[in-house]
Protein backbone atom coordinates (compact mmCIF):
# COMPACT_ATOMS: atom_id res chain seq x y z
CA UNK A 1 0.00 0.00 0.00
CA UNK A 2 2.91 2.35 0.80
CA UNK A 3 4.36 1.80 -2.68
CA UNK A 4 1.02 2.58 -4.34
CA UNK A 5 0.67 5.76 -2.29
CA UNK A 6 4.18 6.88 -3.25
CA UNK A 7 3.40 6.37 -6.94
CA UNK A 8 0.22 8.44 -6.61
CA UNK A 9 2.08 11.25 -4.87
CA UNK A 10 4.85 11.15 -7.45
CA UNK A 11 2.43 11.44 -10.36
CA UNK A 12 0.46 14.15 -8.63
CA UNK A 13 3.57 16.21 -7.85
CA UNK A 14 4.90 15.92 -11.39
CA UNK A 15 1.72 16.73 -13.26
CA UNK A 16 -0.41 18.87 -10.96
CA UNK A 17 -0.33 22.61 -11.19
CA UNK A 18 -1.80 25.41 -9.15
CA UNK A 19 -5.56 24.95 -9.02
CA UNK A 20 -7.31 27.66 -11.04
CA UNK A 21 -10.27 29.30 -9.34
CA UNK A 22 -12.30 28.63 -12.49
CA UNK A 23 -11.60 24.87 -12.28
CA UNK A 24 -14.68 24.68 -10.04
CA UNK A 25 -18.35 24.93 -10.93
CA UNK A 26 -18.58 28.28 -9.16
CA UNK A 27 -17.07 30.34 -11.96
CA UNK A 28 -16.20 30.47 -15.62
CA UNK A 29 -18.55 29.29 -18.34
CA UNK A 30 -20.72 27.02 -16.21
CA UNK A 31 -21.88 29.41 -13.51
CA UNK A 32 -25.28 29.74 -15.21
CA UNK A 33 -25.93 25.99 -15.31
CA UNK A 34 -28.29 24.20 -12.91
CA UNK A 35 -26.72 22.35 -9.96
CA UNK A 36 -27.43 19.03 -11.69
CA UNK A 37 -25.75 20.20 -14.88
CA UNK A 38 -22.77 21.45 -12.91
CA UNK A 39 -22.31 18.06 -11.22
CA UNK A 40 -22.58 16.34 -14.61
CA UNK A 41 -19.84 18.62 -15.89
CA UNK A 42 -17.67 17.92 -12.85
CA UNK A 43 -17.97 14.18 -13.47
CA UNK A 44 -17.02 14.48 -17.13
CA UNK A 45 -14.19 16.85 -16.27
CA UNK A 46 -12.87 14.22 -13.84
CA UNK A 47 -13.20 11.50 -16.49
CA UNK A 48 -11.34 13.44 -19.17
CA UNK A 49 -8.54 14.63 -16.93
CA UNK A 50 -8.05 11.22 -15.31
CA UNK A 51 -7.86 9.44 -18.66
CA UNK A 52 -5.67 12.16 -20.16
CA UNK A 53 -3.14 11.56 -17.40
CA UNK A 54 -3.33 7.84 -16.60
CA UNK A 55 -4.86 5.94 -19.53
CA UNK A 56 -2.52 3.35 -21.04
CA UNK A 57 -3.47 4.30 -24.62
CA UNK A 58 -3.77 8.07 -24.04
CA UNK A 59 -1.48 8.78 -27.00
CA UNK A 60 -3.70 6.72 -29.32
CA UNK A 61 -6.97 8.55 -28.60
CA UNK A 62 -7.18 11.94 -30.39
CA UNK A 63 -9.81 13.26 -27.97
CA UNK A 64 -7.42 12.65 -25.07
CA UNK A 65 -4.45 14.45 -26.63
CA UNK A 66 -2.74 17.15 -24.59
CA UNK A 67 -3.22 19.48 -27.57
CA UNK A 68 -6.91 18.63 -28.03
CA UNK A 69 -8.03 21.88 -26.42
CA UNK A 70 -6.31 25.25 -26.59
CA UNK A 71 -4.50 26.35 -24.55
CA UNK A 72 -2.74 22.96 -24.32
CA UNK A 73 -2.81 22.46 -20.57
CA UNK A 74 -2.93 19.13 -18.75
CA UNK A 75 -5.46 20.70 -16.37
CA UNK A 76 -7.76 22.44 -18.82
CA UNK A 77 -10.09 24.66 -16.79
CA UNK A 78 -13.70 25.74 -17.10
CA UNK A 79 -12.74 29.01 -18.83
CA UNK A 80 -12.01 27.07 -22.02
CA UNK A 81 -15.20 27.26 -24.12
CA UNK A 82 -14.15 24.49 -26.51
CA UNK A 83 -13.50 22.16 -23.59
CA UNK A 84 -16.72 23.04 -21.77
CA UNK A 85 -18.76 22.56 -24.96
CA UNK A 86 -17.07 19.17 -25.40
CA UNK A 87 -18.11 18.13 -21.89
CA UNK A 88 -21.64 19.49 -22.29
CA UNK A 89 -22.57 17.09 -25.09
CA UNK A 90 -25.65 15.11 -24.20
CA UNK A 91 -23.89 11.87 -23.25
CA UNK A 92 -24.31 10.25 -19.85
CA UNK A 93 -21.02 9.96 -17.90
CA UNK A 94 -20.59 6.25 -18.65
CA UNK A 95 -21.13 6.73 -22.40
CA UNK A 96 -18.73 9.67 -22.32
CA UNK A 97 -16.12 7.45 -20.61
CA UNK A 98 -16.43 4.60 -23.12
CA UNK A 99 -16.30 7.03 -26.04
CA UNK A 100 -12.81 8.03 -24.90
CA UNK A 101 -11.39 4.50 -24.78
CA UNK A 102 -9.14 2.99 -27.41
CA UNK A 103 -11.41 1.14 -29.82
CA UNK A 104 -13.58 -0.32 -27.05
CA UNK A 105 -14.27 -3.25 -26.80
CA UNK A 106 -11.82 -4.59 -29.40
CA UNK A 107 -8.49 -3.23 -28.18
CA UNK A 108 -9.52 -2.08 -24.71
CA UNK A 109 -11.78 -4.83 -23.45
CA UNK A 110 -11.55 -4.23 -19.73
CA UNK A 111 -11.63 -0.56 -18.63
CA UNK A 112 -14.88 0.33 -16.87
CA UNK A 113 -16.65 3.01 -14.87
CA UNK A 114 -19.20 2.88 -12.07
CA UNK A 115 -21.59 5.31 -10.44
CA UNK A 116 -21.11 3.61 -7.04
CA UNK A 117 -17.52 3.32 -5.91
CA UNK A 118 -18.61 1.81 -2.58
CA UNK A 119 -19.94 -1.25 -4.40
CA UNK A 120 -16.68 -1.42 -6.33
CA UNK A 121 -14.69 -1.38 -3.09
CA UNK A 122 -16.83 -4.15 -1.62
CA UNK A 123 -16.24 -6.33 -4.66
CA UNK A 124 -12.48 -5.80 -4.52
CA UNK A 125 -12.64 -6.93 -0.89
CA UNK A 126 -14.24 -10.22 -1.99
CA UNK A 127 -17.79 -9.27 -1.03
CA UNK A 128 -20.55 -10.45 -3.37
CA UNK A 129 -24.34 -10.62 -3.33
CA UNK A 130 -25.07 -14.31 -3.73
CA UNK A 131 -26.77 -17.44 -2.49
CA UNK A 132 -23.32 -19.04 -2.26
CA UNK A 133 -23.75 -20.90 -5.55
CA UNK A 134 -21.02 -20.26 -8.13
CA UNK A 135 -22.31 -21.22 -11.57
CA UNK A 136 -21.56 -21.09 -15.27
CA UNK A 137 -24.03 -20.56 -18.10
CA UNK A 138 -24.02 -22.06 -21.57
CA UNK A 139 -26.22 -21.84 -24.60
CA UNK A 140 -28.46 -24.87 -24.75
CA UNK A 141 -30.69 -26.29 -27.47
CA UNK A 142 -31.67 -24.55 -30.68
CA UNK A 143 -34.34 -22.13 -29.43
CA UNK A 144 -32.21 -19.67 -27.50
CA UNK A 145 -32.22 -21.73 -24.33
CA UNK A 146 -29.67 -21.34 -21.53
CA UNK A 147 -28.37 -24.01 -19.17
CA UNK A 148 -26.72 -23.31 -15.82
CA UNK A 149 -24.34 -25.60 -13.98
CA UNK A 150 -23.01 -25.30 -10.44
CA UNK A 151 -19.21 -25.10 -10.39
CA UNK A 152 -18.80 -24.97 -6.63
CA UNK A 153 -20.68 -23.95 -3.48
CA UNK A 154 -19.34 -21.70 -0.76
CA UNK A 155 -19.42 -23.20 2.75
CA UNK A 156 -21.81 -21.82 5.37
CA UNK A 157 -24.15 -20.29 2.79
CA UNK A 158 -27.78 -20.96 2.03
CA UNK A 159 -26.87 -22.90 -1.11
CA UNK A 160 -24.70 -25.23 0.96
CA UNK A 161 -27.40 -25.69 3.58
CA UNK A 162 -29.97 -26.51 0.88
CA UNK A 163 -27.76 -29.29 -0.50
CA UNK A 164 -26.71 -27.64 -3.75
CA UNK A 165 -23.58 -29.32 -5.12
CA UNK A 166 -21.16 -29.17 -8.00
CA UNK A 167 -22.67 -30.60 -11.18
CA UNK A 168 -26.27 -29.63 -10.39
CA UNK A 169 -27.80 -28.06 -13.48
CA UNK A 170 -30.78 -25.76 -13.87
CA UNK A 171 -32.86 -24.47 -16.74
CA UNK A 172 -35.45 -22.47 -14.78
CA UNK A 173 -35.23 -19.62 -12.29
CA UNK A 174 -38.26 -18.36 -10.35
CA UNK A 175 -40.49 -20.54 -12.53
CA UNK A 176 -39.26 -19.14 -15.84
CA UNK A 177 -37.20 -20.99 -18.41
CA UNK A 178 -33.76 -19.44 -18.88
CA UNK A 179 -33.22 -17.93 -22.32
CA UNK A 180 -30.65 -15.76 -24.00
CA UNK A 181 -33.06 -12.85 -23.56
CA UNK A 182 -33.88 -13.14 -19.87
CA UNK A 183 -30.98 -14.81 -18.03
CA UNK A 184 -29.51 -11.48 -16.89
CA UNK A 185 -32.79 -10.30 -15.39
CA UNK A 186 -33.45 -13.64 -13.69
CA UNK A 187 -30.00 -14.30 -12.25
CA UNK A 188 -28.27 -10.95 -11.83
CA UNK A 189 -30.56 -8.79 -9.72
CA UNK A 190 -31.09 -7.46 -6.21
CA UNK A 191 -33.77 -9.94 -5.15
CA UNK A 192 -33.35 -11.47 -1.71
CA UNK A 193 -34.03 -15.03 -2.89
CA UNK A 194 -34.13 -17.24 -5.98
CA UNK A 195 -35.82 -20.52 -6.87
CA UNK A 196 -34.11 -23.00 -9.19
CA UNK A 197 -35.03 -26.41 -10.52
CA UNK A 198 -32.50 -29.15 -9.80
CA UNK A 199 -31.38 -31.51 -12.55
CA UNK A 200 -28.39 -33.75 -13.18
CA UNK A 201 -26.61 -34.74 -16.37
CA UNK A 202 -26.54 -38.50 -16.94
CA UNK A 203 -25.38 -40.66 -19.81
CA UNK A 204 -28.37 -42.38 -21.44
CA UNK A 205 -27.74 -44.54 -24.52
CA UNK A 206 -24.20 -43.10 -24.73
CA UNK A 207 -25.54 -39.54 -24.85
CA UNK A 208 -25.57 -36.88 -22.13
CA UNK A 209 -29.13 -36.26 -21.00
CA UNK A 210 -30.56 -33.78 -18.51
CA UNK A 211 -32.56 -35.76 -15.97
CA UNK A 212 -34.87 -33.92 -13.61
CA UNK A 213 -34.68 -34.66 -9.90
CA UNK A 214 -38.21 -33.26 -9.48
CA UNK A 215 -36.90 -30.81 -6.94
CA UNK A 216 -36.94 -27.06 -6.66
CA UNK A 217 -34.87 -25.16 -4.14
CA UNK A 218 -35.43 -21.69 -2.73
CA UNK A 219 -32.20 -20.03 -1.70
CA UNK A 220 -31.71 -16.76 0.17
CA UNK A 221 -29.33 -14.22 -1.35
CA UNK A 222 -27.26 -11.84 0.74
CA UNK A 223 -23.96 -10.04 0.84
CA UNK A 224 -21.22 -12.54 1.62
CA UNK A 225 -17.44 -12.44 1.66
CA UNK A 226 -15.91 -15.26 -0.35
CA UNK A 227 -12.67 -16.77 0.88
CA UNK A 228 -10.81 -17.40 -2.41
CA UNK A 229 -8.73 -20.17 -0.82
CA UNK A 230 -11.44 -22.69 -1.67
CA UNK A 231 -9.56 -25.98 -1.31
CA UNK A 232 -6.12 -26.76 0.07
CA UNK A 233 -5.14 -30.38 0.61
CA UNK A 234 -2.31 -32.88 0.25
CA UNK A 235 -2.66 -35.97 -1.93
CA UNK A 236 -0.20 -38.82 -1.34
CA UNK A 237 0.53 -41.12 -4.28
CA UNK A 238 3.43 -43.48 -3.66
CA UNK A 239 6.53 -41.36 -3.08
CA UNK A 240 4.73 -38.20 -4.17
CA UNK A 241 3.20 -35.69 -1.79
CA UNK A 242 1.13 -33.39 -3.99
CA UNK A 243 -0.29 -30.13 -2.73
CA UNK A 244 -3.56 -29.08 -4.37
CA UNK A 245 -4.77 -25.51 -4.06
CA UNK A 246 -7.92 -24.11 -5.63
CA UNK A 247 -7.59 -20.34 -5.49
CA UNK A 248 -10.46 -18.34 -6.98
CA UNK A 249 -9.53 -14.66 -6.69
CA UNK A 250 -6.58 -12.47 -5.71
CA UNK A 251 -8.13 -10.66 -2.75
CA UNK A 252 -5.78 -8.86 -0.37
CA UNK A 253 -8.11 -9.43 2.59
CA UNK A 254 -7.30 -13.15 2.39
CA UNK A 255 -3.52 -13.01 1.87
CA UNK A 256 -2.94 -14.47 5.33
CA UNK A 257 -5.31 -17.37 4.68
CA UNK A 258 -3.36 -18.08 1.50
CA UNK A 259 -0.14 -18.00 3.52
CA UNK A 260 -1.67 -20.45 6.01
CA UNK A 261 -2.39 -22.89 3.19
CA UNK A 262 1.24 -22.77 2.15
CA UNK A 263 2.27 -23.21 5.78
CA UNK A 264 0.30 -26.46 5.76
CA UNK A 265 1.94 -27.55 2.48
CA UNK A 266 5.35 -26.79 3.94
CA UNK A 267 4.70 -28.71 7.16
CA UNK A 268 3.50 -31.73 5.16
CA UNK A 269 6.65 -31.69 3.04
CA UNK A 270 4.99 -31.63 -0.38
CA UNK A 271 7.25 -32.14 -3.39
CA UNK A 272 4.76 -31.18 -6.13
CA UNK A 273 2.08 -28.48 -6.37
CA UNK A 274 -1.10 -28.26 -8.43
CA UNK A 275 -2.50 -24.72 -8.54
CA UNK A 276 -6.10 -24.58 -9.73
CA UNK A 277 -6.86 -21.19 -11.29
CA UNK A 278 -9.54 -22.32 -13.70
CA UNK A 279 -12.23 -20.00 -12.23
CA UNK A 280 -9.88 -17.21 -11.11
CA UNK A 281 -10.51 -13.97 -12.98
CA UNK A 282 -7.72 -12.07 -11.23
CA UNK A 283 -7.47 -9.32 -8.65
CA UNK A 284 -4.75 -7.53 -6.68
CA UNK A 285 -1.22 -7.47 -8.12
CA UNK A 286 0.28 -7.56 -4.62
CA UNK A 287 -1.54 -10.83 -3.90
CA UNK A 288 -0.10 -12.28 -7.11
CA UNK A 289 3.37 -11.30 -5.89
CA UNK A 290 2.72 -13.02 -2.56
CA UNK A 291 1.47 -16.20 -4.23
CA UNK A 292 4.50 -16.38 -6.52
CA UNK A 293 6.75 -15.82 -3.50
CA UNK A 294 5.07 -18.65 -1.60
CA UNK A 295 5.58 -20.97 -4.56
CA UNK A 296 9.24 -20.18 -5.21
CA UNK A 297 10.80 -18.84 -2.02
CA UNK A 298 12.86 -16.46 -4.16
CA UNK A 299 14.50 -13.53 -2.40
CA UNK A 300 13.15 -9.99 -2.65
CA UNK A 301 16.06 -9.04 -4.91
CA UNK A 302 14.51 -11.09 -7.73
CA UNK A 303 12.18 -9.39 -10.22
CA UNK A 304 8.71 -10.90 -10.55
CA UNK A 305 7.15 -8.42 -13.00
CA UNK A 306 7.72 -5.02 -14.56
CA UNK A 307 5.09 -2.40 -15.32
CA UNK A 308 4.89 -0.34 -18.52
CA UNK A 309 2.77 2.83 -18.15
CA UNK A 310 1.91 5.35 -20.87
CA UNK A 311 4.59 7.49 -22.49
CA UNK A 312 3.64 10.46 -20.33
CA UNK A 313 4.00 8.68 -16.99
CA UNK A 314 6.75 6.13 -17.62
CA UNK A 315 9.58 8.72 -17.45
CA UNK A 316 8.26 10.00 -14.11
CA UNK A 317 8.95 6.70 -12.35
CA UNK A 318 12.06 5.24 -10.83
CA UNK A 319 12.60 1.61 -11.79
CA UNK A 320 11.87 0.60 -8.19
CA UNK A 321 8.44 2.27 -8.40
CA UNK A 322 7.25 0.09 -11.28
CA UNK A 323 9.15 -3.14 -10.63
CA UNK A 324 7.45 -5.83 -8.57
CA UNK A 325 9.93 -7.96 -6.63
CA UNK A 326 9.33 -11.24 -4.85
CA UNK A 327 8.51 -10.81 -1.17
CA UNK A 328 9.57 -12.46 2.08
CA UNK A 329 6.80 -11.10 4.29
CA UNK A 330 3.22 -9.82 4.24
CA UNK A 331 2.44 -6.60 6.06
CA UNK A 332 -1.07 -6.36 7.49
CA UNK A 333 -2.12 -3.48 9.75
CA UNK A 334 1.50 -2.79 10.63
CA UNK A 335 2.26 -6.42 11.54
CA UNK A 336 4.85 -8.39 9.57
CA UNK A 337 3.99 -12.00 8.69
CA UNK A 338 6.83 -14.16 7.25
CA UNK A 339 5.86 -15.82 3.98
CA UNK A 340 5.59 -19.61 4.03
CA UNK A 341 7.45 -20.62 0.89
CA UNK A 342 8.09 -23.89 -0.93
CA UNK A 343 11.75 -23.41 -1.76
CA UNK A 344 13.07 -26.08 -4.08
CA UNK A 345 10.08 -26.66 -6.34
CA UNK A 346 11.38 -27.25 -9.87
CA UNK A 347 7.99 -27.16 -11.55
CA UNK A 348 4.36 -26.30 -10.95
CA UNK A 349 1.17 -27.62 -12.53
CA UNK A 350 -1.44 -24.92 -13.16
CA UNK A 351 -5.04 -25.66 -14.18
CA UNK A 352 -6.72 -23.09 -16.43
CA UNK A 353 -9.80 -22.35 -18.54
CA UNK A 354 -10.91 -19.41 -20.66
CA UNK A 355 -12.08 -17.88 -17.34
CA UNK A 356 -8.47 -17.68 -16.05
CA UNK A 357 -7.47 -14.03 -16.41
CA UNK A 358 -5.29 -11.05 -15.49
CA UNK A 359 -3.53 -11.63 -12.14
CA UNK A 360 -3.79 -15.39 -12.73
CA UNK A 361 -2.04 -14.97 -16.06
CA UNK A 362 0.49 -12.72 -14.36
CA UNK A 363 1.43 -15.56 -12.01
CA UNK A 364 1.85 -17.99 -14.92
CA UNK A 365 3.95 -15.55 -16.94
CA UNK A 366 5.94 -14.26 -13.97
CA UNK A 367 6.95 -17.73 -12.82
CA UNK A 368 8.16 -18.98 -16.21
CA UNK A 369 11.67 -17.48 -16.05
CA UNK A 370 12.27 -19.25 -12.72
CA UNK A 371 10.57 -22.65 -12.69
CA UNK A 372 8.90 -24.97 -15.19
CA UNK A 373 5.22 -24.13 -15.56
CA UNK A 374 3.09 -26.99 -16.86
CA UNK A 375 -0.31 -25.61 -17.82
CA UNK A 376 -3.28 -27.97 -18.09
CA UNK A 377 -6.74 -27.11 -19.41
CA UNK A 378 -7.84 -24.29 -21.69
CA UNK A 379 -6.34 -21.16 -23.19
CA UNK A 380 -6.62 -18.25 -20.77
CA UNK A 381 -8.48 -14.95 -21.30
CA UNK A 382 -5.51 -12.87 -22.47
CA UNK A 383 -5.36 -9.82 -20.18
CA UNK A 384 -1.87 -8.46 -19.70
CA UNK A 385 -2.93 -5.00 -18.53
CA UNK A 386 -3.55 -3.63 -15.07
CA UNK A 387 -5.81 -0.89 -13.74
CA UNK A 388 -6.16 1.50 -10.83
CA UNK A 389 -9.22 3.10 -9.23
CA UNK A 390 -9.55 6.82 -9.95
CA UNK A 391 -11.81 8.99 -7.79
CA UNK A 392 -12.97 12.54 -8.43
CA UNK A 393 -10.57 14.11 -5.99
CA UNK A 394 -8.05 16.95 -6.11
CA UNK A 395 -5.57 14.78 -4.18
CA UNK A 396 -4.15 12.83 -7.10
CA UNK A 397 -7.38 10.97 -7.90
CA UNK A 398 -7.30 8.96 -4.68
CA UNK A 399 -10.19 8.93 -2.23
CA UNK A 400 -8.90 11.72 0.00
CA UNK A 401 -11.10 14.76 -0.48
CA UNK A 402 -13.39 12.91 -2.89
CA UNK A 403 -16.19 14.99 -4.43
CA UNK A 404 -19.19 14.51 -2.09
CA UNK A 405 -21.72 15.30 -4.82
CA UNK A 406 -21.48 11.94 -6.62
CA UNK A 407 -20.01 8.43 -6.34
CA UNK A 408 -18.59 7.93 -9.82
CA UNK A 409 -15.19 6.25 -10.05
CA UNK A 410 -13.37 4.69 -12.97
CA UNK A 411 -11.11 1.70 -13.38
CA UNK A 412 -9.10 2.39 -16.54
CA UNK A 413 -6.27 0.24 -17.81
CA UNK A 414 -3.09 2.13 -16.99
CA UNK A 415 -0.24 -0.34 -17.36
CA UNK A 416 0.97 -3.34 -19.28
CA UNK A 417 2.85 -5.93 -17.25
CA UNK A 418 5.70 -8.22 -18.35
CA UNK A 419 7.94 -10.75 -16.62
CA UNK A 420 11.59 -10.24 -15.75
CA UNK A 421 12.61 -11.13 -19.32
CA UNK A 422 10.24 -8.54 -20.80
CA UNK A 423 7.79 -11.17 -22.04
CA UNK A 424 4.09 -10.42 -21.77
CA UNK A 425 2.41 -10.42 -25.18
CA UNK A 426 -0.44 -12.83 -24.52
CA UNK A 427 -3.55 -10.85 -25.44
CA UNK A 428 -4.80 -13.95 -27.27
CA UNK A 429 -4.40 -15.95 -24.08
CA UNK A 430 -1.75 -18.32 -22.73
CA UNK A 431 -1.93 -21.71 -24.44
CA UNK A 432 -1.77 -24.83 -22.23
CA UNK A 433 0.84 -27.55 -22.56
CA UNK A 434 -1.90 -30.14 -22.16
CA UNK A 435 -5.29 -29.08 -23.54
CA UNK A 436 -8.43 -30.30 -21.78
CA UNK A 437 -11.96 -28.95 -22.15
CA UNK A 438 -14.40 -28.94 -19.29
CA UNK A 439 -17.01 -31.59 -19.98
CA UNK A 440 -20.31 -31.03 -18.23
CA UNK A 441 -21.10 -34.71 -18.67
CA UNK A 442 -17.93 -35.59 -16.75
CA UNK A 443 -17.56 -32.67 -14.35
CA UNK A 444 -16.09 -34.53 -11.39
CA UNK A 445 -15.68 -33.40 -7.78
CA UNK A 446 -13.17 -30.64 -7.11
CA UNK A 447 -10.13 -31.84 -5.21
CA UNK A 448 -10.83 -35.51 -5.90
CA UNK A 449 -8.26 -37.61 -7.73
CA UNK A 450 -10.82 -38.62 -10.33
CA UNK A 451 -11.70 -35.04 -11.32
CA UNK A 452 -10.44 -34.81 -14.95
CA UNK A 453 -8.23 -31.72 -14.65
CA UNK A 454 -6.61 -32.82 -11.39
CA UNK A 455 -6.39 -36.41 -12.64
CA UNK A 456 -4.36 -35.22 -15.64
CA UNK A 457 -1.98 -33.32 -13.36
CA UNK A 458 -1.55 -36.34 -11.09
CA UNK A 459 -0.92 -38.55 -14.12
CA UNK A 460 1.85 -36.20 -15.29
CA UNK A 461 3.35 -36.17 -11.79
CA UNK A 462 3.12 -39.89 -10.96
CA UNK A 463 2.77 -41.57 -14.34
CA UNK A 464 -0.44 -43.19 -13.07
CA UNK A 465 -3.92 -42.57 -14.43
CA UNK A 466 -5.81 -41.87 -11.22
CA UNK A 467 -9.17 -41.24 -12.88
CA UNK A 468 -9.66 -44.89 -13.77
CA UNK A 469 -10.58 -43.95 -17.33
CA UNK A 470 -9.14 -42.01 -20.21
CA UNK A 471 -10.36 -38.51 -20.97
CA UNK A 472 -12.21 -38.52 -24.32
CA UNK A 473 -10.61 -36.49 -27.11
CA UNK A 474 -13.88 -34.57 -27.51
CA UNK A 475 -16.09 -33.76 -24.53
CA UNK A 476 -19.50 -35.41 -24.54
CA UNK A 477 -21.12 -32.13 -23.49
CA UNK A 478 -18.82 -29.22 -24.36
CA UNK A 479 -19.45 -25.84 -22.83
CA UNK A 480 -20.67 -23.01 -25.05
CA UNK A 481 -19.53 -20.16 -22.79
CA UNK A 482 -22.06 -17.41 -22.19
CA UNK A 483 -21.51 -16.02 -18.70
CA UNK A 484 -20.94 -17.06 -15.11
CA UNK A 485 -21.96 -15.92 -11.66
CA UNK A 486 -19.14 -13.33 -11.55
CA UNK A 487 -19.44 -11.95 -15.07
CA UNK A 488 -21.31 -8.82 -14.01
CA UNK A 489 -19.36 -8.23 -10.81
CA UNK A 490 -17.00 -5.28 -10.80
CA UNK A 491 -13.49 -6.49 -11.42
CA UNK A 492 -14.52 -9.88 -12.80
CA UNK A 493 -11.36 -9.95 -14.94
CA UNK A 494 -9.26 -7.37 -13.13
CA UNK A 495 -5.61 -6.96 -12.31
CA UNK A 496 -5.30 -3.83 -10.20
CA UNK A 497 -2.99 -1.87 -7.93
Amino acid sequence: MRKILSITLLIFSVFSCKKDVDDTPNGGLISQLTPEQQVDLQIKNFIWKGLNLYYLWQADVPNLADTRFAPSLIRTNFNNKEYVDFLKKGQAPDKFFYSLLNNYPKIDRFSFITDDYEELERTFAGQVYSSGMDFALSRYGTQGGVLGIVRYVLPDTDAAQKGIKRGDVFTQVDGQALTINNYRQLLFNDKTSMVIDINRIKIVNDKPTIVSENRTVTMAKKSIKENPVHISKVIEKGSHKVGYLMYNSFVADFDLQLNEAFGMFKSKGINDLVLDLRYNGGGRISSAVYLASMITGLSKQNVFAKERWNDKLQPAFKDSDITNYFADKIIKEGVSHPINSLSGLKRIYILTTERTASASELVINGLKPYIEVIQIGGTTTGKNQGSITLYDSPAGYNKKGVNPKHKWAMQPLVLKIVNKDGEGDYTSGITPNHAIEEDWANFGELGQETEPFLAKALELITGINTSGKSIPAQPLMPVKPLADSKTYNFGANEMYK
Side-chain angles (χ1 to χ4, degrees):
M1 186 66 185
R2 187 174 300 165
K3 178 179 177 183
I4 299 169
L5 179 59
S6 67
I7 289 175
T8 301
L9 292 174
L10 173 63
I11 294 172
F12 187 55
S13 64
V14 171
F15 292 100
S16 65
C17 65
K18 188 174 181 180
K19 188 174 177 68
D20 191 288
V21 69
D22 290 322
D23 200 24
T24 71
N26 297 317
L29 298 168
I30 67 169
S31 59
Q32 302 303 314
L33 298 179
T34 67
E36 292 78 10
Q37 291 171 327
Q38 290 185 13
V39 172
D40 181 72
L41 217 61
Q42 290 179 60
I43 296 167
K44 292 176 182 176
N45 177 55
F46 145 68
I47 291 171
W48 190 89
K49 288 181 180 177
L51 292 178
N52 167 265
L53 176 58
Y54 281 98
Y55 189 45
L56 179 61
W57 291 287
Q58 182 260 343
D60 300 312
V61 180
N63 273 334
L64 289 176
D66 294 345
T67 56
R68 172 65 176 84
F69 305 103
S72 56
L73 298 173
I74 293 293
R75 291 182 59 81
T76 307
N77 61 52
F78 287 137
N79 271 335
N80 187 309
K81 185 176 187 304
E82 183 184 10
Y83 179 62
V84 171
D85 288 344
F86 178 75
L87 300 182
K88 283 171 62 178
K89 291 179 181 178
Q91 292 176 302
D94 53 345
K95 291 185 178 180
F96 179 69
F97 169 82
Y98 289 108
S99 74
L100 295 173
L101 301 184
N102 185 22
N103 198 8
Y104 181 85
K106 293 183 179 179
I107 294 178
D108 184 348
R109 297 179 286 162
F110 299 106
S111 294
F112 66 90
I113 191 169
T114 173
D115 63 356
D116 186 355
Y117 55 69
E118 291 179 347
E119 183 180 353
L120 175 66
E121 292 164 352
R122 288 192 293 269
T123 301
F124 282 167
Q127 196 164 321
V128 294
Y129 189 69
S130 170
S131 65
M133 177 182 73
D134 181 278
F135 58 85
L137 301 173
S138 176
R139 294 176 181 269
Y140 176 68
T142 59
Q143 305 299 318
V146 170
L147 176 68
I149 190 167
V150 179
R151 299 188 300 194
Y152 61 89
V153 177
L154 297 176
D156 303 318
T157 61
D158 205 43
Q161 294 171 4
K162 298 293 175 59
I164 302 298
K165 56 187 180 296
R166 176 173 166 87
D168 284 343
V169 295
F170 54 94
T171 58
Q172 293 188 15
V173 175
D174 293 338
Q176 297 186 56
L178 284 174
T179 70
I180 194 68
N181 296 319
N182 68 12
Y183 75 90
R184 289 188 64 173
Q185 290 77 17
L186 291 175
L187 288 167
F188 303 97
N189 54 52
D190 296 328
K191 291 183 178 180
T192 57
S193 66
M194 63 187 300
V195 181
I196 65 169
D197 61 319
I198 301 296
N199 308 282
R200 297 292 290 184
I201 298 172
K202 298 182 179 180
I203 305 301
V204 179
N205 297 326
D206 297 326
K207 292 183 179 181
T209 304
I210 296 177
V211 178
S212 173
E213 294 191 349
N214 295 316
R215 183 164 68 103
T216 60
V217 174
T218 301
M219 293 177 292
K221 295 166 64 178
K222 63 180 183 179
S223 182
I224 59 177
K225 202 163 188 177
E226 176 179 350
N227 183 350
V229 185
H230 189 63
I231 301 174
S232 57
K233 62 184 295 187
V234 175
I235 300 169
E236 297 194 28
K237 301 294 293 183
S239 62
H240 297 274
K241 287 186 177 181
V242 182
Y244 171 76
L245 172 68
M246 177 165 235
Y247 184 55
N248 291 330
S249 185
F250 292 80
V251 180
D253 287 20
F254 292 93
D255 287 339
L256 295 182
Q257 286 84 342
L258 180 63
N259 200 36
E260 289 173 5
F262 275 83
M264 182 269 290
F265 289 151
K266 188 174 182 178
S267 68
K268 298 285 187 180
I270 69 167
N271 42 37
D272 290 287
L273 177 64
V274 179
L275 176 61
D276 195 339
L277 299 176
R278 73 183 92 172
Y279 306 138
N280 191 321
R284 190 77 68 95
I285 291 177
S286 59
S287 297
V289 172
Y290 291 146
L291 175 58
S293 302
M294 295 170 197
I295 292 167
T296 63
L298 288 168
S299 71
K300 58 184 179 181
Q301 284 72 42
N302 289 282
V303 173
F304 172 61
K306 303 174 184 178
E307 300 165 12
R308 298 288 182 263
W309 294 61
N310 66 34
D311 292 340
K312 184 188 296 186
L313 293 181
Q314 190 76 15
F317 294 125
K318 299 176 183 177
D319 284 344
S320 58
D321 291 323
I322 52 176
T323 302
N324 294 276
Y325 296 91
F326 287 87
D328 59 3
K329 57 181 175 292
I330 300 170
I331 307 295
K332 293 291 182 185
E333 298 179 353
V335 179
S336 177
H337 303 267
I339 281 180
N340 299 313
S341 61
L342 304 176
S343 302
L345 277 186
K346 296 180 179 179
R347 66 188 61 85
I348 184 172
Y349 301 81
I350 301 183
L351 312 183
T352 63
T353 64
E354 76 285 342
R355 179 71 178 84
T356 307
S358 59
S360 290
E361 294 168 300
L362 170 61
V363 168
I364 295 170
N365 191 53
L367 289 176
K368 283 184 175 180
Y370 296 101
I371 65 175
E372 183 182 7
V373 176
I374 300 172
Q375 184 181 338
I376 301 166
T379 300
T380 62
T381 296
K383 183 175 183 291
N384 61 351
Q385 307 99 5
S387 66
I388 56 176
T389 306
L390 298 182
Y391 299 89
D392 184 6
S393 163
Y397 299 98
N398 61 39
K399 203 175 178 184
K400 183 179 179 180
V402 68
N403 189 337
K405 296 181 180 179
H406 67 85
K407 291 186 178 181
W408 286 88
M410 50 184 175
Q411 197 77 25
L413 296 180
V414 299
L415 62 91
K416 176 184 175 182
I417 201 155
V418 299
N419 64 21
K420 89 171 186 71
D421 295 331
E423 298 169 344
D425 292 324
Y426 48 83
T427 54
S428 296
I430 304 175
T431 305
N433 306 93
H434 302 273
I436 301 176
E437 290 186 62
E438 283 202 304
D439 186 349
W440 285 9
N442 183 26
F443 220 26
E445 293 295 327
L446 294 173
Q448 298 301 309
E449 297 176 27
T450 54
E451 191 275 312
F453 278 51
L454 178 54
K456 181 62 178 178
L458 293 174
E459 181 180 350
L460 293 171
I461 293 169
T462 66
I464 301 170
N465 183 345
T466 62
S467 68
K469 56 185 177 181
S470 60
I471 299 173
Q474 297 295 327
L476 294 175
M477 194 170 185
V479 180
K480 301 174 183 177
L482 178 62
D484 63 38
S485 51
K486 296 178 181 177
T487 295
Y488 302 105
N489 286 355
F490 289 126
N493 290 301
E494 274 305 305
M495 174 167 61
Y496 58 91
K497 297 194 66 155

